[in-house]
Amino acid sequence: MILVTGGSGFIGANFILDWLARADEAVINLDALTYAGNPENLAAAAADERYTFVQGDIGDAELVAGLLARHHPRAIIHFAAESHVDRSIHGPEAFIQTNILGTFRLLEAARAYWSGLDGRVRQQFRFVHVSTDEVYGSLAEDEPAFDETHRYEPNSPYSASKAASDHLVRAYHHTYGLPVLTSNCSNNYGPYQFPEKLIPLMIVNALAGKPLPVYGDGRQIRDWLYVGDHCSAIRRVLEAGVPGETYNVGGWNEIPNIDIVRTVCVLLDELRPLARGSCRELITHVADRPGHDRRYAIDAGRIERELGWRPAETFESGIRKTVQWYLDNPAWVRNVQTGAYRAWIDAHYPRHVG
Ligand code: NAD
Ligand code: TYD
C-alpha cells in the first residue's frame, strides 16, 4: 500500500481517485483537514475497502510513526502543504509550520521507518515529494523555461517554504540515503480545486455574477497543466524515477492570466450564458499582488526523455472539462463556500482514527 499526505486537497484527491481507478493497491490518506482539505472530494472512495482516511498532522511524529509501523507502506506521496500564495502573504506562519517543519518531521518518520526495513522492501521504498515550479522564482519574457538545474530563487513566503522543503528532501537523500524523488510542477487546474485559485475563482464568481478580479495588468504568465496529467506524472516518477533526482512537470501551456479569464468567459457564455451580456463584462482589474512573479514556464523535457511522460490534455480540452465540472457540481461549490463541509467534518471525523 501507499501513504498519501494531503489527500483531501485538490491534487491529492484527484491522485487518490485516479489511483483507485487504476491500481489494486490500497491507499492511506493522512490529512489534517485544514480549510483546503475536504472529505467530500473523496466521497467516491469512502466505501472502497482499499481506502483509509486518517485525520492528523504530518508534524505529529507519534501518529506518523504509528501509521507507518501498522500499515507498512511501500511509498509515501507527500502532497500536504499550505498552498496559496495570497494566504502566505497575509499569514506566512502556517506555511513555515507545515511546509518546512511538517516536511522535516515527516522525513524523520520516513527515515526511521525505512532504516528498519530489510532487503528488497527497503530497496524499493520511495518518498515522493510533490513540489512547485515557484521555487525557481520569476522568468523574464525572453528567458528559457525552468529546467531542473535552474537556480532556486523563491519570491513569496509560499515558494520560500516549498524551496526549504525541497532542500530538506534533497539532504535526506545525500546524507542518509533515503530514496526520495522530487517533482516540481507548474500551475494545475481541474475538478475539486478550491475557489481561491485563479481558474475556479473566476468560474464561481462568474456564475454568481460577481466581478472577476484580475491582478494588475493580467499579463503575468503561468504554465497550466490539467490535474490528471500531474497525477500521471507522479505515478510515473514513483514507478521509474531515479532516487535523489528531481523532475520538472508542466503542460507546455504558457498563457497570460487575462487570456485564461477570457477563455473561461467564452466557455461560460456558451455553456451557461448570462441573461444579458457577456461574462467578460465582469472582468475587473484590481491592485497587483505584492512581489507578484511575472512568468513561470517549465521545460518538461527531462521527464519526457527519461520517463516517457507527456501530458494527455491540451489546454482547450482541459479547461472545457474543468468548467463543465464546476457547472455539474453546484453542491460542492456551495458547500466549500458556505463552510457547510466544516460542520460535516466535525460531526463525522473524530481525530486520529484509522
Ligand atoms: P491544497 O491546498 O488543495 O491541499 C492541501 C492539503 O493538505 C489539504 O487537504 C490540507 O488539509 C492538507 N494539509 C495542510 N496542512 C497539513 C498538515 N500539517 N498535515 C496534514 N495535512 C495537511 O493543495 P494542492 O493544490 O492540492 O497542492 C498539493 C501539493 O502540490 C502541495 O504540496 C503544493 O505545493 C503542490 N503543487 C501545487 C500546484 C497547484 O497548482 N495547485 C502546483 C505544483 C505543486
Ligand atoms: P493562483 O491561482 O493563486 O496561483 P499562483 O499564484 O500559485 O500562480 O494565481 C495564478 C495567477 O493568477 C497569478 O499570477 C495570480 C493571478 N490571480 C489573479 O489575477 N486574480 C485572482 O483573483 C487570483 C486568485 C489570482
Side-chain angles (χ1 to χ4, degrees):
M1 69 146 59
I2 60 166
L3 171 66
V4 166
T5 72
S8 303
F10 162 50
I11 305 173
N14 277 281
F15 181 84
I16 290 175
L17 293 173
D18 284 2
W19 183 271
L20 292 173
R22 283 179 163 78
D24 268 340
E25 205 173 359
V27 186
I28 306 179
N29 171 20
L30 170 64
D31 196 299
L33 298 183
T34 67
Y35 80 94
N38 182 356
E40 227 182 298
N41 297 352
L42 288 158
D48 192 320
E49 60 186 20
R50 296 167 302 160
Y51 174 67
T52 306
F53 173 69
V54 179
Q55 183 177 3
D57 197 305
I58 53 165
D60 183 339
E62 206 178 312
L63 170 69
V64 177
L67 280 178
L68 293 173
R70 208 160 45 251
H71 296 282
H72 296 288
R74 69 161 174 110
I76 297 173
I77 320 294
H78 178 34
F79 293 95
E82 288 293 334
S83 70
H84 188 38
V85 174
D86 292 324
R87 281 182 190 255
S88 84
I89 294 168
H90 293 290
E93 178 120 17
F95 290 71
I96 307 307
Q97 207 60 44
T98 285
N99 300 1
I100 305 179
L101 273 174
T103 299
F104 159 68
R105 297 228 166 87
L106 186 68
L107 282 165
E108 276 291 271
R111 179 164 77 91
Y113 166 70
W114 168 75
S115 301
L117 298 175
D118 290 320
R120 243 168 70 91
V121 180
R122 179 183 161 102
Q123 214 173 42
Q124 289 179 349
F125 178 78
R126 296 288 183 269
F127 183 104
V128 179
H129 176 57
V130 180
S131 193
T132 166
D133 62 354
E134 303 193 23
V135 297
Y136 299 124
S138 186
L139 286 169
E141 219 168 283
D142 55 352
E143 267 185 289
F146 303 127
D147 69 11
E148 289 79 359
T149 65
H150 198 280
R151 71 184 175 278
Y152 269 44
E153 214 167 43
N155 289 321
S156 71
Y158 164 64
S159 54
S161 67
K162 290 296 289 188
S165 70
D166 291 9
H167 292 323
L168 283 169
V169 168
R170 176 189 157 88
Y172 270 65
H173 178 71
H174 278 264
T175 304
Y176 305 113
L178 188 70
V180 305
L181 297 147
T182 296
S183 61
N184 292 91
C185 186
S186 58
N187 286 62
N188 285 213
Y189 66 98
Y192 303 109
Q193 188 168 30
F194 197 80
E196 63 183 355
K197 306 275 168 68
L198 179 70
I199 289 177
L201 183 76
M202 296 301 147
I203 299 171
V204 303
N205 275 16
L207 290 175
K210 291 186 184 162
L212 309 182
V214 172
Y215 297 162
D217 63 4
R219 305 301 310 168
Q220 304 85 358
I221 291 172
R222 299 292 182 264
D223 181 349
W224 295 92
L225 182 70
Y226 187 70
V227 63
D229 282 324
H230 188 187
C231 295
S232 73
I234 293 167
R235 288 195 303 274
R236 190 65 196 135
V237 167
L238 168 65
E239 187 176 53
V242 177
E245 294 299 337
T246 66
Y247 298 91
N248 282 0
V249 182
W252 307 101
N253 279 315
E254 282 188 59
I255 306 173
N257 293 339
I258 187 71
D259 293 354
I260 295 282
V261 179
R262 287 181 183 141
T263 302
V264 166
C265 284
V266 168
L267 287 166
L268 285 174
D269 284 345
E270 174 197 327
L271 299 168
R272 185 68 59 82
L274 295 170
R276 213 165 344 114
S278 162
C279 154
R280 275 177 76 142
E281 289 154 31
L282 299 170
I283 295 175
T284 311
H285 288 267
V286 298
D288 208 349
R289 170 189 282 172
H292 199 170
D293 285 337
R294 198 70 189 162
R295 175 177 165 237
Y296 303 142
I298 280 279
D299 176 347
R302 177 179 200 189
I303 189 171
E304 179 170 358
R305 276 190 313 276
E306 297 182 11
L307 305 185
W309 175 88
R310 261 195 85 81
E313 299 288 344
T314 62
F315 185 71
E316 289 65 33
S317 63
I319 192 69
R320 183 172 280 277
K321 276 191 193 178
T322 303
V323 170
Q324 191 64 57
W325 187 87
Y326 282 87
L327 289 173
D328 291 344
N329 290 277
W332 184 93
V333 172
R334 208 166 38 246
N335 287 347
V336 298
Q337 285 182 319
T338 61
Y341 79 102
R342 299 250 38 115
W344 189 78
I345 286 167
D346 292 342
H348 286 76
Y349 289 95
R351 293 185 74 80
H352 301 180
V353 291

mmCIF file with all atom_site columns, all heavy atoms in Angstrom, residues 211-222:
data_model
loop_
_atom_site.group_PDB
_atom_site.id
_atom_site.type_symbol
_atom_site.label_atom_id
_atom_site.label_alt_id
_atom_site.label_comp_id
_atom_site.label_asym_id
_atom_site.label_entity_id
_atom_site.label_seq_id
_atom_site.pdbx_PDB_ins_code
_atom_site.Cartn_x
_atom_site.Cartn_y
_atom_site.Cartn_z
_atom_site.occupancy
_atom_site.B_iso_or_equiv
_atom_site.pdbx_formal_charge
_atom_site.auth_seq_id
_atom_site.auth_comp_id
_atom_site.auth_asym_id
_atom_site.auth_atom_id
_atom_site.pdbx_PDB_model_num
ATOM 1  N N   . PRO A 1 211 ? -17.738 40.301 -9.737  1.00 0.00 ? 211 PRO A N   1
ATOM 2  C CA  . PRO A 1 211 ? -16.573 40.732 -10.520 1.00 0.00 ? 211 PRO A CA  1
ATOM 3  C C   . PRO A 1 211 ? -15.496 39.652 -10.589 1.00 0.00 ? 211 PRO A C   1
ATOM 4  O O   . PRO A 1 211 ? -15.354 38.840 -9.669  1.00 0.00 ? 211 PRO A O   1
ATOM 5  C CB  . PRO A 1 211 ? -16.047 41.941 -9.725  1.00 0.00 ? 211 PRO A CB  1
ATOM 6  C CG  . PRO A 1 211 ? -17.160 42.375 -8.852  1.00 0.00 ? 211 PRO A CG  1
ATOM 7  C CD  . PRO A 1 211 ? -18.031 41.177 -8.604  1.00 0.00 ? 211 PRO A CD  1
ATOM 8  N N   . LEU A 1 212 ? -14.738 39.655 -11.699 1.00 0.00 ? 212 LEU A N   1
ATOM 9  C CA  . LEU A 1 212 ? -13.626 38.711 -11.888 1.00 0.00 ? 212 LEU A CA  1
ATOM 10 C C   . LEU A 1 212 ? -12.331 39.491 -11.669 1.00 0.00 ? 212 LEU A C   1
ATOM 11 O O   . LEU A 1 212 ? -11.879 40.215 -12.565 1.00 0.00 ? 212 LEU A O   1
ATOM 12 C CB  . LEU A 1 212 ? -13.673 38.120 -13.297 1.00 0.00 ? 212 LEU A CB  1
ATOM 13 C CG  . LEU A 1 212 ? -15.034 37.539 -13.725 1.00 0.00 ? 212 LEU A CG  1
ATOM 14 C CD1 . LEU A 1 212 ? -14.941 36.942 -15.134 1.00 0.00 ? 212 LEU A CD1 1
ATOM 15 C CD2 . LEU A 1 212 ? -15.503 36.480 -12.732 1.00 0.00 ? 212 LEU A CD2 1
ATOM 16 N N   . PRO A 1 213 ? -11.726 39.387 -10.462 1.00 0.00 ? 213 PRO A N   1
ATOM 17 C CA  . PRO A 1 213 ? -10.600 40.252 -10.112 1.00 0.00 ? 213 PRO A CA  1
ATOM 18 C C   . PRO A 1 213 ? -9.285  39.799 -10.758 1.00 0.00 ? 213 PRO A C   1
ATOM 19 O O   . PRO A 1 213 ? -8.744  38.751 -10.406 1.00 0.00 ? 213 PRO A O   1
ATOM 20 C CB  . PRO A 1 213 ? -10.513 40.102 -8.579  1.00 0.00 ? 213 PRO A CB  1
ATOM 21 C CG  . PRO A 1 213 ? -11.093 38.761 -8.282  1.00 0.00 ? 213 PRO A CG  1
ATOM 22 C CD  . PRO A 1 213 ? -12.088 38.453 -9.371  1.00 0.00 ? 213 PRO A CD  1
ATOM 23 N N   . VAL A 1 214 ? -8.789  40.597 -11.699 1.00 0.00 ? 214 VAL A N   1
ATOM 24 C CA  . VAL A 1 214 ? -7.517  40.299 -12.369 1.00 0.00 ? 214 VAL A CA  1
ATOM 25 C C   . VAL A 1 214 ? -6.450  41.205 -11.756 1.00 0.00 ? 214 VAL A C   1
ATOM 26 O O   . VAL A 1 214 ? -6.591  42.428 -11.763 1.00 0.00 ? 214 VAL A O   1
ATOM 27 C CB  . VAL A 1 214 ? -7.652  40.549 -13.892 1.00 0.00 ? 214 VAL A CB  1
ATOM 28 C CG1 . VAL A 1 214 ? -6.301  40.444 -14.581 1.00 0.00 ? 214 VAL A CG1 1
ATOM 29 C CG2 . VAL A 1 214 ? -8.650  39.563 -14.485 1.00 0.00 ? 214 VAL A CG2 1
ATOM 30 N N   . TYR A 1 215 ? -5.389  40.578 -11.216 1.00 0.00 ? 215 TYR A N   1
ATOM 31 C CA  . TYR A 1 215 ? -4.354  41.366 -10.548 1.00 0.00 ? 215 TYR A CA  1
ATOM 32 C C   . TYR A 1 215 ? -3.527  42.149 -11.575 1.00 0.00 ? 215 TYR A C   1
ATOM 33 O O   . TYR A 1 215 ? -3.028  41.572 -12.545 1.00 0.00 ? 215 TYR A O   1
ATOM 34 C CB  . TYR A 1 215 ? -3.395  40.463 -9.763  1.00 0.00 ? 215 TYR A CB  1
ATOM 35 C CG  . TYR A 1 215 ? -4.010  39.673 -8.620  1.00 0.00 ? 215 TYR A CG  1
ATOM 36 C CD1 . TYR A 1 215 ? -3.349  38.567 -8.098  1.00 0.00 ? 215 TYR A CD1 1
ATOM 37 C CD2 . TYR A 1 215 ? -5.239  40.035 -8.051  1.00 0.00 ? 215 TYR A CD2 1
ATOM 38 C CE1 . TYR A 1 215 ? -3.883  37.837 -7.041  1.00 0.00 ? 215 TYR A CE1 1
ATOM 39 C CE2 . TYR A 1 215 ? -5.774  39.299 -7.002  1.00 0.00 ? 215 TYR A CE2 1
ATOM 40 C CZ  . TYR A 1 215 ? -5.101  38.206 -6.504  1.00 0.00 ? 215 TYR A CZ  1
ATOM 41 O OH  . TYR A 1 215 ? -5.631  37.484 -5.467  1.00 0.00 ? 215 TYR A OH  1
ATOM 42 N N   . GLY A 1 216 ? -3.364  43.464 -11.321 1.00 0.00 ? 216 GLY A N   1
ATOM 43 C CA  . GLY A 1 216 ? -2.511  44.301 -12.176 1.00 0.00 ? 216 GLY A CA  1
ATOM 44 C C   . GLY A 1 216 ? -2.984  44.285 -13.614 1.00 0.00 ? 216 GLY A C   1
ATOM 45 O O   . GLY A 1 216 ? -4.184  44.330 -13.895 1.00 0.00 ? 216 GLY A O   1
ATOM 46 N N   . ASP A 1 217 ? -2.011  44.163 -14.533 1.00 0.00 ? 217 ASP A N   1
ATOM 47 C CA  . ASP A 1 217 ? -2.376  44.229 -15.957 1.00 0.00 ? 217 ASP A CA  1
ATOM 48 C C   . ASP A 1 217 ? -2.838  42.872 -16.509 1.00 0.00 ? 217 ASP A C   1
ATOM 49 O O   . ASP A 1 217 ? -3.253  42.783 -17.674 1.00 0.00 ? 217 ASP A O   1
ATOM 50 C CB  . ASP A 1 217 ? -1.202  44.774 -16.790 1.00 0.00 ? 217 ASP A CB  1
ATOM 51 C CG  . ASP A 1 217 ? 0.037   43.862 -16.734 1.00 0.00 ? 217 ASP A CG  1
ATOM 52 O OD1 . ASP A 1 217 ? -0.036  42.776 -16.111 1.00 0.00 ? 217 ASP A OD1 1
ATOM 53 O OD2 . ASP A 1 217 ? 1.075   44.251 -17.309 1.00 0.00 ? 217 ASP A OD2 1
ATOM 54 N N   . GLY A 1 218 ? -2.722  41.811 -15.691 1.00 0.00 ? 218 GLY A N   1
ATOM 55 C CA  . GLY A 1 218 ? -3.194  40.493 -16.141 1.00 0.00 ? 218 GLY A CA  1
ATOM 56 C C   . GLY A 1 218 ? -2.267  39.843 -17.160 1.00 0.00 ? 218 GLY A C   1
ATOM 57 O O   . GLY A 1 218 ? -2.599  38.812 -17.739 1.00 0.00 ? 218 GLY A O   1
ATOM 58 N N   . ARG A 1 219 ? -1.081  40.430 -17.375 1.00 0.00 ? 219 ARG A N   1
ATOM 59 C CA  . ARG A 1 219 ? -0.158  39.870 -18.377 1.00 0.00 ? 219 ARG A CA  1
ATOM 60 C C   . ARG A 1 219 ? 0.827   38.883 -17.751 1.00 0.00 ? 219 ARG A C   1
ATOM 61 O O   . ARG A 1 219 ? 1.772   38.448 -18.410 1.00 0.00 ? 219 ARG A O   1
ATOM 62 C CB  . ARG A 1 219 ? 0.639   40.985 -19.108 1.00 0.00 ? 219 ARG A CB  1
ATOM 63 C CG  . ARG A 1 219 ? -0.177  42.076 -19.781 1.00 0.00 ? 219 ARG A CG  1
ATOM 64 C CD  . ARG A 1 219 ? -1.154  41.600 -20.837 1.00 0.00 ? 219 ARG A CD  1
ATOM 65 N NE  . ARG A 1 219 ? -0.552  40.713 -21.821 1.00 0.00 ? 219 ARG A NE  1
ATOM 66 C CZ  . ARG A 1 219 ? -1.256  39.984 -22.698 1.00 0.00 ? 219 ARG A CZ  1
ATOM 67 N NH1 . ARG A 1 219 ? -2.573  40.027 -22.693 1.00 0.00 ? 219 ARG A NH1 1
ATOM 68 N NH2 . ARG A 1 219 ? -0.636  39.205 -23.549 1.00 0.00 ? 219 ARG A NH2 1
ATOM 69 N N   . GLN A 1 220 ? 0.640   38.550 -16.470 1.00 0.00 ? 220 GLN A N   1
ATOM 70 C CA  . GLN A 1 220 ? 1.522   37.564 -15.841 1.00 0.00 ? 220 GLN A CA  1
ATOM 71 C C   . GLN A 1 220 ? 1.250   36.197 -16.491 1.00 0.00 ? 220 GLN A C   1
ATOM 72 O O   . GLN A 1 220 ? 0.099   35.868 -16.796 1.00 0.00 ? 220 GLN A O   1
ATOM 73 C CB  . GLN A 1 220 ? 1.259   37.468 -14.319 1.00 0.00 ? 220 GLN A CB  1
ATOM 74 C CG  . GLN A 1 220 ? 1.393   38.782 -13.578 1.00 0.00 ? 220 GLN A CG  1
ATOM 75 C CD  . GLN A 1 220 ? 0.096   39.593 -13.613 1.00 0.00 ? 220 GLN A CD  1
ATOM 76 O OE1 . GLN A 1 220 ? -0.899  39.204 -14.222 1.00 0.00 ? 220 GLN A OE1 1
ATOM 77 N NE2 . GLN A 1 220 ? 0.127   40.736 -12.968 1.00 0.00 ? 220 GLN A NE2 1
ATOM 78 N N   . ILE A 1 221 ? 2.321   35.433 -16.637 1.00 0.00 ? 221 ILE A N   1
ATOM 79 C CA  . ILE A 1 221 ? 2.200   34.163 -17.364 1.00 0.00 ? 221 ILE A CA  1
ATOM 80 C C   . ILE A 1 221 ? 2.424   32.979 -16.437 1.00 0.00 ? 221 ILE A C   1
ATOM 81 O O   . ILE A 1 221 ? 3.350   32.973 -15.622 1.00 0.00 ? 221 ILE A O   1
ATOM 82 C CB  . ILE A 1 221 ? 3.230   34.139 -18.521 1.00 0.00 ? 221 ILE A CB  1
ATOM 83 C CG1 . ILE A 1 221 ? 2.808   35.168 -19.582 1.00 0.00 ? 221 ILE A CG1 1
ATOM 84 C CG2 . ILE A 1 221 ? 3.370   32.745 -19.124 1.00 0.00 ? 221 ILE A CG2 1
ATOM 85 C CD1 . ILE A 1 221 ? 3.841   35.383 -20.665 1.00 0.00 ? 221 ILE A CD1 1
ATOM 86 N N   . ARG A 1 222 ? 1.553   31.979 -16.555 1.00 0.00 ? 222 ARG A N   1
ATOM 87 C CA  . ARG A 1 222 ? 1.709   30.712 -15.856 1.00 0.00 ? 222 ARG A CA  1
ATOM 88 C C   . ARG A 1 222 ? 1.674   29.603 -16.918 1.00 0.00 ? 222 ARG A C   1
ATOM 89 O O   . ARG A 1 222 ? 1.162   29.812 -18.017 1.00 0.00 ? 222 ARG A O   1
ATOM 90 C CB  . ARG A 1 222 ? 0.571   30.500 -14.833 1.00 0.00 ? 222 ARG A CB  1
ATOM 91 C CG  . ARG A 1 222 ? 0.510   31.568 -13.722 1.00 0.00 ? 222 ARG A CG  1
ATOM 92 C CD  . ARG A 1 222 ? 1.699   31.456 -12.803 1.00 0.00 ? 222 ARG A CD  1
ATOM 93 N NE  . ARG A 1 222 ? 1.719   32.400 -11.686 1.00 0.00 ? 222 ARG A NE  1
ATOM 94 C CZ  . ARG A 1 222 ? 2.367   33.565 -11.678 1.00 0.00 ? 222 ARG A CZ  1
ATOM 95 N NH1 . ARG A 1 222 ? 2.996   33.985 -12.767 1.00 0.00 ? 222 ARG A NH1 1
ATOM 96 N NH2 . ARG A 1 222 ? 2.391   34.319 -10.596 1.00 0.00 ? 222 ARG A NH2 1
#
